[in-house]
Amino acid sequence: MSSIPAPAGEVAGKSDDRLDPPGFEMTIDQADLAAQRAEIDRSCRWPVLFFYGSATAWLLVGTVLALIASIKLHSPTFLGNISWLTFGRVRPAHLDVVAFGWASMVGLGTLLWLMCRLCRVPLRYPAMVVLAGVLWNVAVTAGTIAVLAGQGTSIEWIEFPMYCTFMLFISFALIGLWAMLTFGTRKEGHVYVSQWYLFAAVFWFPWVYASVQMLVVIAPVKGVPQESIHWWFGHNVLGVFFTPMGLATIYYLIPKVIGRPIYSYYLSILGFWSLALFYNWAGAHHMVGGPLPAWLVTVSAVASIMMFIPVITTAINHHMTTYKSFGALQYSPTLRFVVFGAMMYTLVSFQGSLMSVRIFNEPFHFTHHTIAHAHIGLYGFYTMVMFGAMYYIVPRLTGREWASARLIRVHFWAASIGIFAMFVTLTIGGVIQGFELNQASEPFNKLVGQHGLLDGTIKFFEGFKRQNGAVSFIDVVRDTIPWLWIRSGTGILLFIGHLAFGWLVWLNLSGRGKKRTGPTLFRTDPKGYAIATGR
Amino acid sequence: MNYGPLLFLGAFLTFASAWLGLVFFPAHQLKDLQPVTVEASAETHPRAYSGEELQGRAVYISEGCVYCHSQQSRGGMYLADEQRGWGRRSMPRDYIYDNPVLLGTMRTGPDLVNIGARQPSADWHLKHLYNPQKMVPGSIMAPFGFLFEMRKIEGEPSPDALRFDAGWTADDGAPAAGYEVVPTQRAKALVAYLKSLDHTYELPAANGAGQ
Amino acid sequence: MSEPNDPNDPKHDRPIDERMRDEDGPPEKVDVNAMHAPIMREKLEPRDGFEPIPIWLVTVFGALLFWGGWYLATYSGGWRSDVFDEDPEARRIVQASGPPKPVDPLVRGEKLFTGNCTSCHGVNGLGQPGVYPPLAGSEWVLEHPDRIRRILLHGLEGPVTVRGAMFNNAMPAFGVKLKDEQIAAVLTYVRHAWGNNAGPITPEEVAAARAETAGRDVPFSADELMGP
């Protein structure tokens, strides 16, 4: 028997039929688990919120840098002739802020919470973790200022000077150590699939990062092998750091929100190990046609196509888990963001696999098509999943619900429409650019202007020849400009979404805004939500 | 999948295989590349960069030129690069003096691996950096006016001063009477580097016949 | 996975505050009122289902692996470090060709043109309006072989009118980079391509122009070339 007083407003043992399906009884043991979770969340509060708050601030900074870079591409004299805002510095600053500021910190914050929840232990050694977060912030701040000041290395994804990379490495080592210590004291025998991915991320990323720093920056190997190592790293930042954190989050949040188990443990295993095997062999697909031995490019092309295996496996696993509960998407912000992200994961991976094959790579390498791919991956998949994670986790840490469902709605639609429109825009622009650089005989815009859209397009394709350098470069540039304008528009849409999100986070963390007692859902009929997520 | 050490071993082996394949073996295969002497002209290619060219390379890195410009002409089935006049297929030996190697992944601007051969005019490069839109109408390249100094002519005009013809107005950046536009050392070094980018020399044929 | 009410847990029927007690420290009273609503209403932690892997999926993956193996075997260039182009067909043709045959100057000229001139004058010799003059139908190319020999040797700077249009740019000198027979070949090609139909230019003519302008180190201007 228990001496716990009944929770306010509820009788111990009676189900909360606002949210649980009929017949589900809240037993004393469920109350135990809830108390356990409460203690875990209480211990996670300051460390995770520190990471989340920092990440949100970096997101806003990174979005401003992105807008500046995007506008400069079609209007080069915008803020022109200012050295610290020149495109060659603003663009890498944007990349590093969104990758190491936003994406890394929101992922690590989520990793902390997921590890604690899945190991069923409270967060120990918070000082270690907060120190890691402080060091990380210092490194990203110093690194971004350095890049804008012209001290960047011009090696994509590792532009920060040496002093920053040391700080990042120490910070990450602290997190890795914490993860091992936490895992060592776990109270849960079964290692859930999310934890495999989180461990993989924590173990693989320092290895890649240390390798590239040693072999390309500190004691560089001679010549083009640097680029092989560089892009092995560059691809692995996405493949073995962000993707596993994103997948771990999806694997946790979807079954958690809808109350169903993951469809197949066996598919989870197949998905994990095939990703481990193939993903990190794919790096040389960034250098197809380049000054490297053919075998290297072939190996990466094969690995990239083999990635269909883990991606299809994961997609089936997620889809079969969720499809009976699609109705819940009308209600749950978390689910909406996470499911959107999961679908974009499938899309971006299919696109990526196809782009690695030489026949598709020839026209699309070096074009805006690559940028479309990068954004739909890191934003459409990873960032949207992390938005979902923050919408779920923050109320559990602060004890306060989100202040406004309408703002969440604004955020979701601005972000999802913005990123998908950016993807479509840059894909079309990149395809035109690529064909004009490699196959076309006359510029697309000129033909469409002369003959109308349909006939112009037909004539464009009719003029194709293999290995054709007929279209002058400046015409190629000219034809991409309308698409770059539209892209800036989609960027503004994303910025609006981020302002809404930042405002919501601020309201929640600072305790302002309307106080709610129930979850902030898109629709306010809890019975419908119960039915949608019921068994 | 509940056994930590087994999970670790699997993660280690899968990752180590790719480390061997993409990091170790390419470095091992290509580590002994040396410059070659072309018999007909008795020249050695590639040649190491001079001091000023290395300074210029540092400016190229500092300003992030690699984010718009590639430095590799593709070959094999990708002969559009050669058709476009960007040069013969780039090979590993072309890059042995490059540190870091700046192959680039975007062609927002044209490829530059042979720009020194295509455009050897220092004057063109300086003016183009100063106002790209004036030199190439429709260009979206960033203007690098901050690499130049507009100053009053003291005594004799500087020999480095840019010479503008009648087509340049004050809006384009032409100096007023009594003033001159002088490139900074960074601009001069950058142009020296760009002019050194010339890999049009023939290397022994690839594709199995040695490089 | 440990069940919530696992009979093997020795403390499973003890009060919750005792169960949550830190092993070493004093018992901490957990105030259930402090449990937040979001945590109370959560569903169970995620767990695994055990559906089998569909057979069709295994078949598809087997096919992919088979394709991957074939592709690796075919396009790896013998795993050599000096094979850059994966297509064995192209390599076979290159290795089978014999000693070089004498090259038609037009063919040679076209190759030189492609390698040196197309980035400004275009593959079709149309140049770029307002920036680089056209060579197709250009009176400079067709009617003034002496001018174009000099331009190739020393470059051209400043305003120039071609086919009625004004241009004002800088063409680099090729006299150092290209030998006389190469300049002759490319000029011959230019005078014969894209509808142009003027006579060839010989290496001797280029050599003579080179000798006449020896010692010059600045580009020509249009006025100089058109002069008396």
Side-chain angles (χ1 to χ4, degrees):
Chain A
M1 289 308 290
S2 161
S3 55
I4 318 165
E10 292 172 74
V11 177
K14 178 97 167 60
S15 72
D16 175 2
D17 66 10
R18 288 183 297 131
L19 292 155
D20 296 321
F24 180 84
E25 291 291 314
M26 169 76 80
T27 63
I28 297 302
D29 304 291
Q30 300 301 333
D32 287 346
L33 285 177
Q36 207 182 42
R37 292 198 294 264
E39 194 195 340
I40 291 174
D41 289 356
R42 218 175 26 246
S43 68
C44 283
R45 180 179 188 161
W46 290 114
V48 176
L49 286 178
F50 180 69
F51 275 87
Y52 277 174
S54 311
T56 309
W58 285 120
L59 177 69
L60 291 167
V61 170
T63 314
V64 170
L65 290 171
L67 277 175
I68 296 176
S70 179
I71 294 173
K72 275 171 175 274
L73 268 185
H74 52 74
S75 311
T77 51
F78 172 69
L79 297 176
N81 283 317
I82 302 175
S83 63
W84 52 278
L85 285 181
T86 186
F87 180 81
R89 299 188 198 177
V90 164
R91 191 268 203 205
H94 156 67
L95 179 91
D96 288 331
V97 164
V98 297
F100 293 104
W102 156 251
S104 298
M105 296 196 86
V106 74
L108 290 174
T110 308
L111 180 150
L112 295 173
W113 186 82
L114 283 177
M115 283 296 260
C116 290
R117 278 291 191 104
L118 288 168
C119 292
R120 314 249 196 276
V121 289
L123 190 147
R124 299 220 168 83
Y125 321 111
M128 184 194 284
V129 167
V130 172
L131 174 63
V134 168
L135 270 179
W136 199 282
N137 271 325
V138 170
V140 177
T141 308
T144 305
I145 293 176
V147 170
L148 290 174
Q151 306 297 321
T153 61
S154 261
I155 305 175
E156 253 183 293
W157 292 94
I158 42 174
E159 288 92 348
F160 286 167
M162 196 69 63
Y163 47 88
C164 301
T165 58
F166 277 133
M167 280 191 270
L168 286 177
F169 202 77
I170 294 173
S171 173
F172 206 86
L174 288 170
I175 304 257
L177 187 60
W178 173 89
M180 285 198 308
L181 290 171
T182 303
F183 190 70
T185 61
R186 69 188 181 282
K187 289 196 170 52
E188 173 53 68
H190 176 68
V191 182
Y192 183 64
V193 53
S194 295
Q195 284 176 295
W196 316 337
Y197 281 105
L198 292 175
F199 262 120
V202 158
F203 172 52
W204 286 333
F205 183 63
W207 184 347
V208 219
Y209 197 56
S211 285
V212 76
Q213 288 293 336
M214 276 303 299
L215 298 169
V216 178
V217 181
I218 299 178
V221 301
K222 186 163 83 164
V224 286
Q226 279 185 23
E227 287 285 50
S228 175
I229 300 167
H230 171 210
W231 284 110
W232 170 76
F233 165 79
H235 195 77
N236 279 348
V237 169
L238 292 153
V240 306
F241 185 47
F242 293 133
T243 297
M245 290 199 290
L247 291 179
T249 309
I250 300 176
Y251 268 112
Y252 183 88
L253 284 176
I254 289 185
K256 182 70 166 165
V257 169
I258 65 176
R260 291 180 182 284
I262 285 288
Y263 177 68
S264 169
Y265 178 68
Y266 307 113
L267 284 177
S268 302
I269 295 185
L270 175 61
F272 177 74
W273 288 115
S274 51
L275 184 136
L277 183 59
F278 294 127
Y279 213 135
N280 54 77
W281 277 93
H285 69 215
H286 292 263
M287 297 171 295
V288 179
L292 285 165
W295 67 261
L296 187 56
V297 174
T298 292
V299 153
S300 285
V302 169
S304 306
I305 292 288
M306 287 302 132
M307 280 302 295
F308 277 123
I309 296 179
V311 170
I312 294 177
T313 304
T314 311
I316 292 178
N317 216 3
H318 292 159
H319 179 78
M320 295 304 284
T321 305
T322 322
Y323 81 101
K324 290 198 186 94
S325 309
F326 275 139
L329 287 170
Q330 299 171 72
Y331 295 88
S332 164
T334 300
L335 201 63
R336 230 185 246 195
F337 277 97
V338 171
V339 167
F340 182 90
M343 289 181 180
M344 290 303 111
Y345 173 64
T346 310
L347 171 66
V348 74
S349 303
F350 272 53
Q351 183 200 19
S353 293
L354 289 175
M355 278 166 69
S356 309
V357 179
R358 288 174 169 99
I359 194 87
F360 291 112
N361 195 281
E362 183 201 354
F364 301 142
H365 193 18
F366 303 122
T367 67
H368 296 296
H369 187 93
T370 308
I371 309 297
H373 176 72
H375 281 88
I376 199 72
L378 198 54
Y379 193 100
F381 156 51
Y382 181 82
T383 294
M384 293 297 271
V385 168
M386 287 301 154
F387 283 147
M390 279 185 69
Y391 277 121
Y392 191 80
I393 296 170
V394 169
R396 281 154 181 76
L397 300 175
T398 59
R400 291 187 280 270
E401 303 293 346
W402 296 104
S404 160
R406 170 188 283 148
L407 273 180
I408 304 181
R409 212 188 296 268
V410 165
H411 177 208
F412 177 76
W413 288 112
S416 54
I417 294 178
I419 193 61
F420 202 75
M422 183 187 291
F423 171 71
V424 169
T425 304
L426 288 178
T427 296
I428 299 178
V431 164
I432 293 176
Q433 182 188 11
F435 282 144
E436 289 185 358
L437 280 173
N438 291 286
Q439 277 98 9
S441 300
E442 289 193 76
F444 181 74
N445 289 14
K446 175 174 148 217
L447 288 173
V448 167
Q450 284 173 348
H451 304 281
L453 183 58
L454 187 61
D455 282 334
T457 309
I458 294 173
K459 285 194 167 25
F460 182 64
F461 284 105
E462 275 173 355
F464 275 22
K465 282 188 331 209
R466 293 287 307 281
Q467 304 155 2
N468 190 355
V471 178
S472 79
F473 192 82
I474 196 65
D475 281 331
V476 179
V477 169
R478 209 166 274 143
D479 283 2
T480 59
I481 290 181
W483 305 102
L484 295 174
W485 274 99
I486 301 176
R487 190 266 295 271
S488 288
T490 66
I492 292 178
L493 207 51
L494 290 180
F495 188 51
I496 292 172
H498 296 164
L499 287 174
F501 178 65
W503 185 237
L504 280 167
V505 171
W506 163 249
L507 287 178
N508 193 303
L509 259 52
S510 64
R512 293 173 172 72
K514 209 166 19 159
K515 301 282 188 277
R516 292 168 174 267
T517 50
T520 311
L521 300 174
F522 288 130
R523 288 176 61 163
T524 50
D525 52 324
K527 272 253 175 347
Y529 183 57
I531 294 170
T533 57
R535 246 148 259 275
Chain B
M1 287 297 285
N2 293 337
Y3 192 45
L6 209 58
L7 193 66
F8 176 83
L9 191 66
F12 178 86
L13 288 175
T14 49
F15 208 70
S17 70
W19 188 90
L20 281 174
L22 266 62
V23 174
F24 181 75
F25 278 128
H28 178 73
Q29 272 195 339
L30 296 171
K31 68 182 184 330
D32 289 325
L33 285 178
Q34 299 294 332
V36 286
T37 305
V38 176
E39 282 190 32
S41 56
E43 288 167 354
T44 305
H45 292 295
R47 65 166 181 78
Y49 293 108
S50 76
E52 192 184 22
E53 289 159 6
L54 279 178
Q55 267 188 354
R57 197 162 205 271
V59 176
Y60 189 96
I61 288 171
S62 157
E63 301 304 333
C65 306
V66 74
Y67 296 103
C68 285
H69 291 283
S70 62
Q71 279 189 28
Q72 48 173 303
S73 184
R74 293 179 294 175
M77 62 189 271
Y78 313 98
L79 283 174
D81 290 5
E82 199 178 304
Q83 290 293 318
R84 197 169 273 289
W86 284 345
R88 59 131 174 98
R89 189 208 209 293
S90 299
M91 299 204 239
R93 205 185 298 268
D94 293 327
Y95 300 92
I96 54 179
Y97 289 114
D98 284 13
N99 193 16
V101 176
L102 295 167
L103 288 183
T105 53
M106 282 296 284
R107 283 178 176 169
T108 314
D111 183 87
L112 296 180
V113 76
N114 286 306
I115 189 66
R118 293 207 312 271
Q119 183 50 277
S121 160
D123 187 61
W124 187 93
H125 281 297
L126 285 167
K127 289 215 195 76
H128 179 244
L129 286 167
Y130 184 62
N131 189 340
Q133 282 68 45
K134 178 73 180 163
M135 292 301 281
V136 183
S139 168
I140 56 174
M141 168 150 151
F144 284 92
F146 58 85
L147 290 178
F148 297 82
E149 221 187 300
M150 168 105 68
R151 62 181 192 208
K152 208 164 175 14
I153 300 180
E154 310 274 323
E156 286 295 308
S158 159
D160 288 337
L162 297 184
R163 302 186 318 271
F164 298 101
D165 60 56
W168 286 70
T169 65
D171 277 341
D172 298 326
Y179 284 80
E180 58 182 5
V181 174
V182 178
T184 59
Q185 180 53 37
R186 294 185 86 219
K188 290 195 285 191
L190 179 59
V191 170
Y193 170 65
L194 292 175
K195 285 180 63 170
S196 77
L197 289 173
D198 182 345
H199 297 278
T200 53
Y201 49 84
E202 288 296 324
L203 285 178
N207 287 336
Q211 52 163 0
Chain C
M1 165 169 165
S2 57
E3 288 297 307
N5 199 18
D6 185 358
N8 295 324
D9 179 355
K11 297 196 280 186
H12 79 280
D13 57 348
R14 308 304 296 279
I16 186 168
D17 50 354
E18 262 188 74
R19 268 196 270 172
M20 297 284 288
R21 174 193 319 194
D22 186 0
E23 291 297 329
D24 303 324
E28 282 177 18
K29 291 269 179 255
V30 175
D31 181 2
V32 174
N33 284 330
M35 282 191 249
H36 303 300
I39 302 165
M40 279 301 290
R41 65 171 183 264
E42 271 184 36
K43 300 196 171 41
L44 293 176
E45 290 295 279
R47 58 208 185 285
D48 298 296
F50 292 92
E51 298 295 325
I53 299 179
I55 278 293
W56 62 264
L57 199 64
V58 177
T59 315
V60 166
F61 294 163
L64 266 178
L65 282 167
F66 188 75
W67 171 88
W70 166 82
Y71 194 89
L72 271 177
T74 315
Y75 291 120
S76 299
W79 305 95
R80 297 175 60 127
S81 65
D82 55 358
V83 176
F84 312 119
D85 299 319
E86 73 291 354
D87 188 348
E89 272 307 304
R91 288 205 297 281
R92 245 198 299 276
I93 292 167
V94 165
Q95 281 160 359
S97 54
K101 298 179 276 292
V103 185
D104 178 0
L106 277 180
V107 171
R108 191 173 185 204
E110 185 181 6
K111 284 200 75 165
L112 286 164
F113 184 83
T114 305
N116 292 288
C117 320
T118 50
S119 55
C120 297
H121 289 294
V123 164
N124 298 316
L126 295 172
Q128 203 185 306
V131 188
Y132 305 119
L135 303 174
S138 158
E139 66 275 21
W140 283 69
V141 168
L142 295 170
E143 296 162 25
H144 299 280
D146 53 319
R147 288 188 202 169
I148 54 177
R149 286 191 288 261
R150 284 161 202 267
I151 292 174
L152 261 279
L153 285 168
H154 295 286
L156 177 72
E157 235 181 56
V160 61
T161 303
V162 179
R163 292 187 62 175
M166 249 270 276
F167 298 89
N168 190 343
N169 216 314
M171 168 160 160
F174 287 90
V176 172
K177 185 178 177 221
L178 296 179
K179 303 195 269 288
D180 293 340
E181 50 270 25
Q182 291 172 309
I183 293 180
V186 74
L187 286 177
T188 301
Y189 168 73
V190 162
R191 278 160 65 89
H192 199 77
W194 321 300
N196 286 354
N197 203 358
I201 291 192
T202 67
E204 292 74 31
E205 291 167 338
V206 177
R210 194 190 282 272
E212 278 166 36
T213 57
R216 186 187 182 94
D217 60 358
V218 292
F220 282 101
S221 70
D223 287 339
E224 262 186 285
L225 292 172
M226 296 190 301

